[in-house]
Amino acid sequence: MRIRKEAELEWAIQKYDVMAKGCQYYSKIRNMFHEARGEEDYDKNFQCIGRDREFSLFEESLS
């Protein structure tokens, strides 16, 4: 399950940025990881975190 390791690594890198966005958002992502059962779920989690990171970087570039 290579995607699981990649997703968990991305989560480890991003979790404090995610927490800064708010407790509710952090809880959503945390629950997604707790509920993940297979590669498809971890891929979805990985994509979700990546999209959020790209959007944050885009927002920063506008300011």
Side-chain angles (χ1 to χ4, degrees), residues 7-63:
E8 288 177 345
L9 177 61
E10 186 68 18
W11 174 237
I13 293 167
Q14 297 294 326
K15 69 182 168 186
Y16 295 108
D17 290 335
V18 169
M19 285 172 35
K21 291 179 183 178
C23 186
Q24 184 178 18
Y25 181 76
Y26 172 81
S27 294
K28 174 189 158 199
I29 300 297
R30 184 191 63 211
N31 290 341
M32 287 172 59
F33 270 87
H34 285 303
E35 295 169 3
R37 297 290 178 247
E39 289 188 29
E40 197 171 295
D41 292 333
Y42 283 102
D43 185 50
K44 183 175 86 173
N45 296 352
F46 184 73
Q47 298 301 322
C48 182
I49 294 168
R51 272 194 318 271
D52 294 337
R53 181 176 184 205
E54 289 172 14
F55 183 71
S56 294
L57 293 173
F58 174 72
E59 284 181 315
E60 289 175 12
S61 73
L62 295 177
S63 46

